[in-house]
Amino acid sequence: MSNLEINNIYCIGRNYRLHALELGNEVPKEPLVFTKPTHAIMSMNGNEIELSAQAGEVHFELEIVARIGADYTEDAEPEQLIDGIALGLDLTLRDVQSRLKAKGLPWLPAKGFKGSAPLGQWLPYPGASSLAGIPFELLRNGVTAQRGQAADMLFPIAELIHYIGRHYGLGAGDLIYTGTPAGVAALQDGDRLQALWAGQEVGSCTIKLA
Ligand code: ZN
């Protein structure tokens, strides 16, 4: 992982149409933003990730993560603000989230638990037009579980940067988990996960679920 200090972790829900629909949600008309504490971050470099099964299903959500390298201003060029990208997992306690949603409660217990944001290695940001068509993929035990490309985002990264910058503020060291494509599912004990960027592994871990 980069030695840049991580400040705020913004995450986008339902940013891919097919994923919104697979969970029975409406496709949003503006970005759905939530945050995770910095304690959610852990590396994904072949390590084992221990998770608790006590609160029900833990789902994987593979996402492109953009790292912000400079402070946002209204006239900032989003392309200039991104100083790296990675693939990360937005781990989600899905049963907990379903109960919270039914009661209209905040998502923190489902999305913000310690270790809920594993991150692969940092890569140079190729620019929005190149990024759009680069495939990213999550293999579970060698089998494709999720596959996506930035072109399918409902709100592209530049739009997310403006939206978050205006409403919440955005500065150097902030991360944006940009949402997950379809294919999310519950992790099983012993699962081996590999995150692929353009076919190359850029993060991996083994899940220990107890
Ligand atoms: Zn997500």
Side-chain angles (χ1 to χ4, degrees), residues 12 34 61 63 90 111 179-180:
I12 310 301
F34 61 97
E61 296 188 358
E63 315 199 351
D90 165 19
K111 291 281 201 179
T180 196

Side-chain angles (χ1 to χ4, degrees), residues 13-28 101 154 180-182:
R14 305 171 194 168
N15 201 23
Y16 290 80
R17 181 182 169 76
L18 293 179
H19 169 64
L21 297 178
E22 76 178 339
L23 294 183
N25 294 308
E26 285 177 17
V27 175
K101 277 160 66 178
L154 294 168
T180 196

Side-chain angles (χ1 to χ4, degrees), residues 111-190:
K111 291 281 201 179
F113 58 91
K114 277 186 286 181
S116 61
L119 260 181
Q121 69 190 70
W122 288 110
L123 306 164
Y125 175 60
S129 55
S130 297
L131 188 82
I134 298 176
F136 65 98
E137 190 170 2
L138 181 70
L139 302 185
R140 168 156 64 164
N141 304 319
V143 177
T144 300
Q146 291 188 273
R147 189 175 165 82
Q149 56 177 15
D152 295 331
M153 289 181 186
L154 294 168
F155 305 100
I157 295 179
E159 204 171 324
L160 297 176
I161 285 176
H162 279 304
Y163 187 90
I164 293 169
R166 282 197 205 108
H167 287 84
Y168 309 114
L170 194 60
D174 289 351
L175 303 185
I176 305 175
Y177 276 67
T178 58
T180 196
V184 302
L187 289 164
Q188 306 296 328
D189 184 43

Side-chain angles (χ1 to χ4, degrees), residues 6-7 9 36-42 111-118:
I6 291 170
N7 290 324
I9 306 169
K36 289 179 188 259
T38 51
H39 305 287
I41 294 289
M42 66 162 59
K111 291 281 201 179
F113 58 91
K114 277 186 286 181
S116 61

